[in-house]
Amino acid sequence: MSTAVDASVAVTEQEDVENILGGKKVAVVFVLGGPGSGKGTQCSNIVEHFGFTHLSAGELLRTEIKSGSENGAMIENIINEGRIVPSEITIKLLQEAMIKSENDKFLIDGFPRNEENRAAFENIKLSPEFVLFFDCSEEEMGRRLLGRNQGRADDNIETIRKRFGVFVESSLPVIQYYDSKGMVKKINAAKPITEVFEDVKTVFQPYGPKATQMPSRE
Ligand code: UDP
Ligand code: MG
Protein backbone atom coordinates (compact mmCIF):
# COMPACT_ATOMS: atom_id res chain seq x y z
CA MET A 1 0.00 0.00 0.00
CA SER A 2 2.80 2.40 0.82
CA THR A 3 4.18 1.86 -2.68
CA ALA A 4 0.90 2.99 -4.26
CA VAL A 5 0.83 6.15 -2.14
CA ASP A 6 4.44 6.99 -3.01
CA ALA A 7 3.77 6.51 -6.70
CA SER A 8 0.75 8.81 -6.68
CA VAL A 9 2.69 11.51 -4.86
CA ALA A 10 5.48 11.26 -7.40
CA VAL A 11 3.04 11.64 -10.31
CA THR A 12 1.33 14.64 -8.73
CA GLU A 13 4.64 16.39 -8.13
CA GLN A 14 5.79 15.79 -11.66
CA GLU A 15 2.52 17.12 -13.07
CA ASP A 16 2.83 20.17 -10.83
CA VAL A 17 6.25 20.99 -12.17
CA GLU A 18 5.07 20.77 -15.76
CA ASN A 19 1.72 22.46 -15.40
CA ILE A 20 2.41 25.19 -12.96
CA LEU A 21 2.94 27.87 -15.59
CA GLY A 22 1.76 25.84 -18.54
CA GLY A 23 5.31 24.57 -19.00
CA LYS A 24 6.78 28.07 -19.13
CA LYS A 25 10.20 28.53 -17.49
CA VAL A 26 10.67 31.77 -15.56
CA ALA A 27 13.16 33.57 -13.31
CA VAL A 28 11.69 35.24 -10.26
CA VAL A 29 13.08 37.78 -7.77
CA PHE A 30 11.13 38.46 -4.56
CA VAL A 31 11.16 42.13 -3.59
CA LEU A 32 10.44 42.51 0.12
CA GLY A 33 10.50 45.25 2.73
CA GLY A 34 8.08 47.01 5.05
CA PRO A 35 5.14 49.11 3.87
CA GLY A 36 6.57 52.32 2.42
CA SER A 37 10.11 50.96 2.04
CA GLY A 38 10.06 51.81 -1.67
CA LYS A 39 9.45 48.43 -3.27
CA GLY A 40 7.10 49.69 -5.98
CA THR A 41 9.21 52.75 -6.81
CA GLN A 42 12.43 50.78 -7.17
CA CYS A 43 10.67 47.99 -9.11
CA SER A 44 9.70 50.58 -11.76
CA ASN A 45 13.39 51.52 -12.06
CA ILE A 46 14.44 47.87 -12.34
CA VAL A 47 11.83 47.27 -15.06
CA GLU A 48 13.15 50.23 -17.04
CA HIS A 49 16.83 49.27 -16.78
CA PHE A 50 16.84 45.50 -16.64
CA GLY A 51 13.76 44.37 -18.54
CA PHE A 52 11.93 42.58 -15.76
CA THR A 53 8.14 42.56 -15.50
CA HIS A 54 6.86 43.98 -12.22
CA LEU A 55 4.16 42.00 -10.43
CA SER A 56 2.95 43.75 -7.28
CA ALA A 57 0.94 41.28 -5.22
CA GLY A 58 -0.88 44.18 -3.55
CA GLU A 59 -1.78 45.72 -6.92
CA LEU A 60 -3.03 42.38 -8.26
CA LEU A 61 -5.25 42.06 -5.18
CA ARG A 62 -6.54 45.63 -5.52
CA THR A 63 -7.34 44.96 -9.20
CA GLU A 64 -9.16 41.80 -8.16
CA ILE A 65 -11.31 43.86 -5.76
CA LYS A 66 -12.19 46.35 -8.51
CA SER A 67 -13.01 43.59 -11.00
CA GLY A 68 -15.96 42.62 -8.82
CA SER A 69 -14.75 39.05 -8.35
CA GLU A 70 -16.55 36.84 -5.85
CA ASN A 71 -13.61 37.15 -3.43
CA GLY A 72 -13.45 40.94 -3.78
CA ALA A 73 -15.24 41.89 -0.58
CA MET A 74 -13.25 39.40 1.47
CA ILE A 75 -9.93 40.65 0.03
CA GLU A 76 -10.96 44.25 0.66
CA ASN A 77 -11.73 43.57 4.32
CA ILE A 78 -8.40 41.86 4.85
CA ILE A 79 -6.42 44.66 3.19
CA ASN A 80 -8.25 47.35 5.13
CA GLU A 81 -7.30 45.56 8.34
CA GLY A 82 -3.68 45.21 7.22
CA ARG A 83 -3.89 41.42 7.39
CA ILE A 84 -2.68 38.90 4.80
CA VAL A 85 -4.88 37.40 2.10
CA PRO A 86 -4.92 33.56 1.91
CA SER A 87 -2.06 32.23 -0.23
CA GLU A 88 -4.16 30.41 -2.78
CA ILE A 89 -5.78 33.65 -3.93
CA THR A 90 -2.54 35.62 -4.27
CA ILE A 91 -0.63 32.74 -5.86
CA LYS A 92 -3.37 32.18 -8.42
CA LEU A 93 -3.19 35.86 -9.44
CA LEU A 94 0.62 35.71 -9.68
CA GLN A 95 0.51 32.52 -11.72
CA GLU A 96 -2.04 33.94 -14.14
CA ALA A 97 0.01 37.10 -14.59
CA MET A 98 3.19 35.13 -15.31
CA ILE A 99 1.45 32.90 -17.83
CA LYS A 100 -0.16 35.86 -19.58
CA SER A 101 3.08 37.83 -19.83
CA GLU A 102 5.44 37.45 -22.78
CA ASN A 103 8.36 38.04 -20.45
CA ASP A 104 10.16 35.30 -18.53
CA LYS A 105 11.72 37.35 -15.71
CA PHE A 106 9.59 38.76 -12.95
CA LEU A 107 9.89 40.94 -9.88
CA ILE A 108 7.36 39.69 -7.35
CA ASP A 109 6.80 42.70 -5.08
CA GLY A 110 5.29 42.35 -1.60
CA PHE A 111 5.03 38.55 -1.59
CA PRO A 112 5.60 36.19 0.26
CA ARG A 113 4.46 38.02 3.39
CA ASN A 114 4.31 35.16 5.87
CA GLU A 115 5.47 31.60 6.29
CA GLU A 116 2.23 30.26 4.87
CA ASN A 117 2.70 32.35 1.69
CA ARG A 118 6.27 31.13 1.39
CA ALA A 119 5.49 27.47 1.90
CA ALA A 120 2.55 27.61 -0.53
CA PHE A 121 4.72 29.20 -3.20
CA GLU A 122 7.39 26.55 -2.65
CA ASN A 123 4.69 24.01 -3.38
CA ILE A 124 4.38 25.32 -6.91
CA LYS A 125 8.06 24.47 -7.38
CA LEU A 126 9.28 27.95 -8.14
CA SER A 127 12.29 29.13 -6.18
CA PRO A 128 13.39 32.78 -6.39
CA GLU A 129 16.81 33.62 -7.86
CA PHE A 130 17.31 35.85 -4.80
CA VAL A 131 15.40 38.11 -2.42
CA LEU A 132 15.85 41.88 -2.62
CA PHE A 133 15.19 43.35 0.83
CA PHE A 134 14.61 47.07 1.29
CA ASP A 135 15.64 47.87 4.85
CA CYS A 136 14.12 51.04 6.30
CA SER A 137 13.14 52.39 9.72
CA GLU A 138 9.46 52.50 10.69
CA GLU A 139 9.75 56.21 11.28
CA GLU A 140 10.83 56.87 7.69
CA MET A 141 8.32 54.38 6.20
CA GLY A 142 5.50 55.98 8.18
CA ARG A 143 6.48 59.41 6.89
CA ARG A 144 6.43 58.17 3.29
CA LEU A 145 3.09 56.35 3.59
CA LEU A 146 1.33 59.34 5.08
CA GLY A 147 2.94 61.68 2.55
CA ARG A 148 2.34 59.71 -0.65
CA ASN A 149 -1.40 60.21 -0.96
CA GLN A 150 -2.14 57.47 -3.52
CA GLY A 151 -5.71 57.25 -2.39
CA ARG A 152 -5.21 53.89 -0.73
CA ALA A 153 -7.73 53.05 1.97
CA ASP A 154 -4.99 51.32 4.01
CA ASP A 155 -2.67 54.36 4.12
CA ASN A 156 -4.17 55.71 7.36
CA ILE A 157 -2.44 55.80 10.75
CA GLU A 158 -4.47 53.00 12.26
CA THR A 159 -4.00 50.53 9.38
CA ILE A 160 -0.35 51.56 8.93
CA ARG A 161 0.31 50.57 12.58
CA LYS A 162 -1.29 47.19 11.94
CA ARG A 163 0.74 46.71 8.72
CA PHE A 164 3.97 47.47 10.61
CA GLY A 165 2.97 44.92 13.25
CA VAL A 166 2.21 42.25 10.63
CA PHE A 167 5.48 43.03 8.85
CA VAL A 168 7.58 42.52 11.98
CA GLU A 169 5.67 39.48 13.18
CA SER A 170 5.00 37.66 9.91
CA SER A 171 7.13 39.04 7.08
CA LEU A 172 10.52 39.51 8.76
CA PRO A 173 10.69 35.77 9.57
CA VAL A 174 10.34 35.06 5.82
CA ILE A 175 13.29 37.38 5.11
CA GLN A 176 15.27 35.70 7.90
CA TYR A 177 14.48 32.29 6.40
CA TYR A 178 15.91 33.29 3.02
CA ASP A 179 18.83 35.03 4.72
CA SER A 180 19.73 31.78 6.45
CA LYS A 181 20.01 30.29 2.95
CA GLY A 182 22.27 33.12 1.78
CA MET A 183 19.62 34.35 -0.68
CA VAL A 184 18.99 37.89 0.60
CA LYS A 185 20.49 41.03 -0.96
CA LYS A 186 19.87 43.77 1.58
CA ILE A 187 19.60 47.38 0.47
CA ASN A 188 19.64 50.45 2.72
CA ALA A 189 16.31 51.95 1.64
CA ALA A 190 16.33 54.96 3.95
CA LYS A 191 18.09 57.13 1.35
CA PRO A 192 16.73 59.21 -1.57
CA ILE A 193 15.31 57.21 -4.53
CA THR A 194 18.27 57.74 -6.89
CA GLU A 195 20.83 56.75 -4.25
CA VAL A 196 18.91 53.59 -3.38
CA PHE A 197 18.74 52.72 -7.07
CA GLU A 198 22.54 52.97 -7.37
CA ASP A 199 22.77 50.11 -4.86
CA VAL A 200 19.96 48.21 -6.58
CA LYS A 201 21.80 48.48 -9.90
CA THR A 202 24.86 46.80 -8.44
CA VAL A 203 22.70 43.84 -7.50
CA PHE A 204 21.05 43.57 -10.94
CA GLN A 205 24.15 44.30 -13.08
CA PRO A 206 24.85 40.57 -13.67
CA TYR A 207 21.38 40.34 -15.27
CA GLY A 208 22.54 42.65 -18.04
CA PRO A 209 20.84 45.67 -19.57
CA LYS A 210 17.31 45.56 -20.91
CA ALA A 211 17.46 43.47 -24.08
CA THR A 212 15.09 45.67 -26.07
CA GLN A 213 16.83 48.91 -25.15
CA MET A 214 17.55 51.08 -28.22
CA PRO A 215 20.71 53.17 -28.51
CA SER A 216 19.87 56.80 -27.85
CA ARG A 217 19.36 59.01 -30.92
CA GLU A 218 21.34 62.19 -30.64
N1 UDP B 1 -1.41 41.78 0.59
C1 UDP B 1 -1.58 40.46 0.90
N2 UDP B 1 -0.77 39.54 0.32
C2 UDP B 1 0.23 39.88 -0.54
C3 UDP B 1 0.41 41.23 -0.85
C4 UDP B 1 -0.42 42.17 -0.27
O1 UDP B 1 -2.45 40.11 1.67
O2 UDP B 1 0.93 38.98 -1.02
C5 UDP B 1 -2.32 42.78 1.18
C6 UDP B 1 -1.97 43.12 2.63
O3 UDP B 1 -3.17 43.37 3.32
C7 UDP B 1 -1.15 44.39 2.47
C8 UDP B 1 -1.86 45.08 1.32
O4 UDP B 1 -2.26 44.00 0.46
O5 UDP B 1 -1.15 45.18 3.65
C9 UDP B 1 -1.05 46.08 0.53
O6 UDP B 1 0.10 45.47 0.03
P1 UDP B 1 1.17 46.29 -0.86
O7 UDP B 1 2.33 45.37 -1.12
O8 UDP B 1 0.50 46.91 -1.99
O9 UDP B 1 1.61 47.50 0.08
P2 UDP B 1 2.73 47.71 1.16
O10 UDP B 1 2.12 47.33 2.47
O11 UDP B 1 3.93 46.91 0.87
O12 UDP B 1 2.99 49.18 1.05
MG1 MG C 1 3.68 48.50 -2.90
Side-chain angles (χ1 to χ4, degrees):
M1 194 181 127
S2 70
T3 321
V5 170
D6 286 351
S8 80
V9 167
V11 168
T12 314
E13 282 182 358
Q14 201 186 350
E15 280 176 359
D16 276 354
V17 176
E18 284 171 10
N19 294 337
I20 222 63
L21 296 176
K24 180 174 176 176
K25 279 210 168 74
V26 298
V28 160
V29 172
F30 287 153
V31 181
L32 301 178
S37 60
K39 302 182 294 288
T41 305
Q42 295 298 335
C43 280
S44 304
N45 286 336
I46 301 165
V47 164
E48 200 181 311
H49 286 77
F50 298 100
F52 280 73
T53 291
H54 176 203
L55 299 179
S56 159
E59 281 303 325
L60 289 170
L61 290 167
R62 285 186 282 274
T63 305
E64 186 70 359
I65 296 172
K66 285 191 211 123
S67 78
S69 96
E70 52 172 345
N71 290 322
M74 183 258 283
I75 298 172
E76 190 168 24
N77 282 334
I78 293 178
I79 288 184
N80 288 344
E81 288 169 18
R83 293 184 294 119
I84 297 167
V85 173
S87 300
E88 61 267 23
I89 294 179
T90 317
I91 290 177
K92 185 171 151 273
L93 294 172
L94 288 168
Q95 270 178 284
E96 285 170 357
M98 285 190 278
I99 291 170
K100 218 162 57 184
S101 169
E102 282 175 9
N103 205 345
D104 60 359
K105 41 185 199 173
F106 298 94
L107 302 168
I108 297 191
D109 156 9
F111 177 96
R113 270 179 137 82
N114 61 11
E115 287 291 304
E116 194 243 342
N117 278 179
R118 180 186 65 70
F121 197 82
E122 267 177 19
N123 279 338
I124 70 166
K125 309 283 181 283
L126 244 181
S127 177
E129 306 295 306
F130 60 88
V131 175
L132 190 66
F133 168 40
F134 289 116
D135 190 25
C136 195
S137 70
E138 271 189 21
E139 196 192 1
E140 173 64 17
M141 293 193 289
R143 239 192 324 266
R144 292 177 186 177
L145 291 174
L146 291 172
R148 71 183 181 185
N149 211 351
Q150 292 176 338
R152 270 173 57 172
D154 58 347
D155 280 349
N156 62 79
I157 294 258
E158 199 195 336
T159 311
I160 289 171
R161 283 214 186 95
K162 289 182 187 160
R163 286 156 67 196
F164 283 156
V166 169
F167 176 70
V168 171
E169 244 174 67
S170 306
S171 309
L172 270 183
V174 173
I175 294 162
Q176 280 153 4
Y177 167 86
Y178 284 117
D179 198 32
S180 75
K181 299 187 147 220
M183 290 169 72
V184 172
K185 317 245 188 221
K186 179 164 138 179
I187 302 282
N188 174 5
K191 300 185 290 179
I193 295 171
T194 49
E195 286 178 38
V196 174
F197 189 56
E198 284 307 310
D199 297 342
V200 170
K201 263 194 210 155
T202 312
V203 170
F204 279 85
Q205 224 60 266
Y207 285 79
K210 189 173 170 178
T212 53
Q213 201 167 10
M214 301 294 286
S216 64
R217 276 185 287 154
E218 274 179 273

